Amino acid sequence: MRPVTVAAAQLGPIALETPRAATVARLVGLMERAKAQGADLIVFPELALTTFFPRWYYEQEADLDRFYERAMPGPETQPLFDAARDLSIGFHLGYAELAADGTRFNTAILVDKSGETVGKYRKIHLPGHREHEPWRAFQHLEKRYFAPGDLGFRVFDAFGGRIGMAICNDRRWPETYRVLGLQGAEMILIGYNTPIHNPPAPEHDRLSWHHNAIVMQAGAYQNAAFVVGVAKAGVEEGVHQMGGSLIAAPTGETIAQAVTEDDELVVATCDLDLCRSYRESVFAFERHREPGAYALITGTKGAVTPDEAKRIDPALGKLDT
Ligand code: ING
């Protein structure tokens, strides 16, 4: 048995004008409550220190600076690291990072029970658009405000196992989970801010919870790992963001989930050894995968014609006369 008691710390809205210190105090309060429930690790959502600012168009770069952290920990976030050490509870935190070279990333860190940062991830799949699109009820300017992550999908040895991280839109792409699974990930932490309404495809809105659940359940099952998905939820500055925080087991089942759209701790004790029966049978990668048949997966960004496909993977043309 290698139990890890994890608390998915779903957050309700964070208003534009909420001071960082007030939000940090709110997160520390959740750390104290999670510890009281026996948690080893608390998982906060994506961009957990501010409102989801990509919903607005900012002409001036300077107007964006208020949302980014130049240091982690910095003076206003140090209380999180102190609480981790004092309470002996690790945490995962999503935040906007302004790197030393001026590059802006949508970032997450993993901090252990001593308050040491043991892992960092920068969001790779950036959804939305780059230019102002006034036709939308609200913007989704992640392609404008962040650069694609440059650290890859990594796993980190912590909490007695192998912990991977991804952020929000990453959870919709099977490649995310497989790259982590190929490094032996046993638990994958994913914070998200997901508006229920998607302006380019409103017909998808009613399926928000269904899509949220199936991608994380599938990712967990197909890679023999636990997946912890954590929302910033509720009506935040007029935009309704879904809750649906959940913990999925390697069985593919959801073993715990949120029932509100506000601050809510979803707690489960996850035995990382449960990954083994899947990792050593149906998903024994080394026995069953056939990478020689997967050339298209990294050979092209978008879909291609069958003829172009044959140029990437000659096997596809083998029967051609
Ligand atoms: N948010 C959304 C997500 O992938 C989105 C973007 C919204 C995609 C609605 C599809 C439908 O959950 C972030 N921050 O990636």
Side-chain angles (χ1 to χ4, degrees):
M1 290 272 284
R2 284 182 295 138
V4 177
T5 299
V6 61
Q10 177 176 287
L11 294 180
I14 297 179
L16 172 61
E17 294 308 329
T18 302
R20 204 67 108 253
T23 299
V24 167
R26 180 172 159 193
L27 301 185
V28 170
L30 288 165
M31 292 172 79
E32 291 163 348
R33 283 173 44 195
K35 181 64 179 180
Q37 295 187 52
D40 301 301
L41 167 64
I42 184 169
V43 183
F44 292 117
E46 171 190 32
L47 297 177
L49 297 174
T50 65
T51 198
F52 187 74
F53 61 91
R55 67 167 69 90
W56 295 301
Y57 174 66
Y58 288 93
E59 185 82 39
Q60 305 301 326
E61 283 264 319
D63 294 338
L64 284 169
D65 287 345
R66 62 180 286 189
F67 298 111
Y68 291 76
E69 309 301 320
R70 294 173 183 277
M72 185 55 71
E76 293 184 299
T77 51
Q78 184 60 47
L80 293 167
F81 293 76
D82 296 343
R85 185 197 57 238
D86 298 346
L87 296 169
S88 188
I89 182 171
F91 68 90
H92 159 283
L93 178 78
Y95 65 95
E97 176 191 11
L98 180 58
D101 67 359
T103 309
R104 299 173 189 275
F105 293 105
N106 187 339
T107 296
I109 54 171
L110 183 63
V111 177
D112 69 14
K113 294 184 174 184
S114 70
E116 291 302 310
T117 299
V118 295
K120 183 169 187 174
Y121 170 69
R122 289 167 169 165
K123 185 175 183 179
I124 288 170
H125 294 100
L126 296 169
H129 48 105
R130 189 182 310 280
E131 301 307 326
H132 187 205
E133 296 185 4
W135 61 271
R136 292 171 178 255
F138 48 87
Q139 304 297 298
H140 199 112
L141 287 161
E142 292 195 58
K143 291 185 188 295
R144 186 182 187 87
Y145 298 153
F146 302 118
D150 57 355
L151 304 177
F153 296 108
R154 280 189 60 192
V155 300
F156 306 94
D157 290 327
F159 303 96
R162 289 228 169 128
I163 313 294
M165 289 187 277
I167 299 178
C168 204
N169 195 252
D170 288 324
R171 77 189 186 285
R172 299 179 190 275
W173 299 93
E175 295 89 344
T176 301
Y177 302 94
R178 183 47 47 88
V179 171
L180 291 169
L182 286 168
Q183 300 171 76
E186 296 172 303
M187 181 175 279
I188 299 169
L189 314 178
I190 311 179
Y192 60 88
N193 285 233
T194 300
I196 293 165
H197 177 52
N198 189 20
E203 65 277 18
H204 301 175
D205 295 2
R206 68 178 185 83
L207 293 162
S208 298
W209 288 267
H210 177 63
H211 293 157
N212 187 57
I214 61 172
V215 293
M216 290 194 280
Q217 289 170 345
Y221 168 62
Q222 291 168 337
N223 296 281
F226 288 89
V227 173
V228 182
V230 189
K232 169 124 72 56
V235 180
E236 186 177 81
E237 297 293 339
V239 175
H240 190 175
Q241 300 188 161
M242 68 173 293
S245 302
L246 64 82
I247 300 170
T251 61
E253 298 166 299
T254 292
I255 58 174
Q257 65 185 25
V259 293
T260 74
E261 291 189 341
D262 212 327
D263 290 13
E264 179 178 349
L265 292 179
V266 178
V267 182
T269 296
C270 303
D271 176 7
L272 299 183
D273 284 344
L274 188 61
C275 304
R276 187 167 294 154
S277 79
Y278 291 89
R279 183 57 55 84
E280 294 174 358
S281 62
V282 60
F283 294 112
F285 290 159
E286 69 289 350
R287 294 214 319 270
H288 301 309
R289 290 185 72 246
E290 295 296 346
Y294 307 156
L296 282 173
I297 289 186
T298 57
T300 177
K301 181 178 175 76
V304 295
T305 66
D307 282 346
E308 287 162 330
K310 291 169 191 170
R311 281 195 283 279
I312 296 168
D313 180 356
L316 299 175
K318 190 164 184 173
L319 294 182
D320 291 1
T321 50

